[in-house]
């Protein structure tokens, strides 16, 4: 159990100390992963930026999704989950999320391009992995950009997610994997939705 995202980020940083000598680039997946990514980059004395990904939400339940999209257009669609959504709806949702991705790049990263990924060790940080769609497209983007090594680092993930990312990333660092895993929030004493202002505050620091 973690007190909050700061506590989780500091504990995650301890587990990632072995990568410090590789001069890694830490990417946080906004908005939930930003405070953790900030703590990791501070403790590892590493470069820090945001990699913008968006869940593709169900039209009838926006809290849940059937896939994700990264800022370079990388797409991951869970065919089984997407079976209940029409092709037209999927196209509309992709357009909506691409608009939101552009907004976040402008707002959260001030329109700056991604730092150079090629040849670098990349640590991808989020506050946890449930479905894993956004992390999937983040890994895909880093592969396309020819990262030397991709490390997926989260405080909590399901057993299935650990198995999946062990196959598509180079390393997976997970601190907790509850047997009865139902939501990322279950391992946090203090859990809340992060807003744009808080993200910008961490980037200013």
């Amino acid at each position: 159990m973690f007190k909050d995202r700061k506590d989780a980020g500091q504990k995650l940083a301890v587990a990632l100390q072995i990568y410090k000598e590789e001069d890694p680039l830490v990417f946080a997946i906004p908005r939930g992963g930003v405070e953790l990514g900030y703590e990791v980059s501070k403790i590892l004395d590493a470069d820090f930026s945001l990699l913008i990904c968006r869940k593709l939400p169900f039209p009838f339940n926006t809290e849940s999704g059937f896939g994700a999209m990264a800022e370079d257009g990388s797409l991951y669609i869970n065919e089984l989950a997407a079976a209940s959504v029409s092709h037209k709806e999927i196209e509309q949702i992709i357009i909506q999320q691409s608009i939101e991705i552009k907004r976040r790049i402008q707002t959260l990263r001030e329109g700056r391009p991604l730092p150079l990924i090629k040849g670098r060790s990349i640590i991808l940080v989020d506050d946890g992995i449930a479905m894993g769609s956004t992390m999937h497209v983040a890994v895909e983007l880093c592969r396309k950009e020819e990262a030397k090594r991709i490390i997926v680092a989260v405080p909590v993930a399901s057993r299935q997610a650990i198995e999946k990312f062990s196959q598509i990333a180079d390393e997976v660092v997970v601190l907790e994997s509850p047997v009865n895993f139902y939501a990322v929030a279950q391992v946090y004493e203090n859990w809340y939705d992060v807003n744009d202002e808080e993200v910008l505050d961490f980037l200013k620091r």
Side-chain angles (χ1 to χ4, degrees):
M1 181 67 80
F2 307 102
K3 291 194 201 80
D4 49 26
R5 286 183 175 92
K6 180 177 182 177
D7 178 45
Q10 289 172 343
K11 286 173 177 165
L12 197 56
V14 171
L16 292 165
Q17 285 282 4
I18 54 169
Y19 301 108
K20 186 173 182 176
E21 290 179 11
E22 294 187 28
D23 186 29
L25 168 57
V26 176
F27 275 130
I29 298 178
R31 292 187 285 237
V34 175
E35 185 169 6
L36 291 94
Y38 167 76
E39 292 296 335
V40 168
S41 65
K42 187 172 72 172
I43 292 167
L44 297 188
D45 192 25
D47 293 336
F48 175 53
S49 187
L50 307 182
L51 198 161
I52 314 294
C53 305
R54 289 290 293 166
K55 175 177 66 186
L56 300 177
F58 286 111
F60 47 85
N61 177 14
T62 54
E63 289 301 306
S64 191
F66 58 86
M69 181 180 188
E71 61 180 88
D72 70 334
S74 292
L75 268 179
Y76 167 70
I77 292 177
N78 182 319
E79 298 296 341
L80 200 62
S84 59
V85 188
S86 72
H87 286 299
K88 189 176 180 182
E89 283 176 317
I90 289 172
E91 285 172 9
Q92 288 172 337
I93 290 163
I94 288 170
I95 290 166
Q96 287 164 0
Q97 294 310 315
S98 63
I99 291 166
E100 175 61 13
I101 284 171
K102 284 172 186 165
R103 185 197 74 80
R104 289 191 177 205
I105 290 170
Q106 287 301 323
T107 306
L108 305 181
R109 218 168 59 215
E110 298 179 331
R112 289 190 297 269
L114 283 167
L116 184 69
I117 293 171
K118 187 174 181 177
R120 295 196 71 176
S121 290
I122 306 296
I123 300 177
L124 294 170
V125 178
D126 206 348
D127 52 13
I129 296 175
M131 291 277 291
S133 299
T134 50
M135 186 61 81
H136 187 112
V137 291
V139 171
E140 200 172 306
L141 182 152
C142 292
R143 279 271 175 254
K144 287 178 184 172
E145 294 296 324
E146 299 178 37
K148 181 176 79 174
R149 189 205 297 256
I150 300 168
I151 302 113
V152 169
V154 292
V156 62
S158 65
R159 305 280 168 89
Q160 296 95 315
I162 293 169
E163 190 177 330
K164 170 186 168 175
F165 285 101
S166 296
Q167 292 168 4
I168 67 170
D170 298 301
E171 309 279 349
V172 179
V173 176
V174 177
L175 304 183
E176 290 192 20
S177 184
V179 176
N180 297 314
F181 180 80
Y182 54 88
V184 169
Q186 79 186 71
V187 298
Y188 289 88
E189 288 172 25
N190 179 21
W191 174 267
Y192 62 95
D193 290 332
V194 181
N195 60 39
D196 285 355
E197 287 70 31
E198 287 174 277
V199 171
L200 290 168
D201 183 50
F202 284 112
L203 294 176
K204 281 172 191 163
R205 293 188 210 178

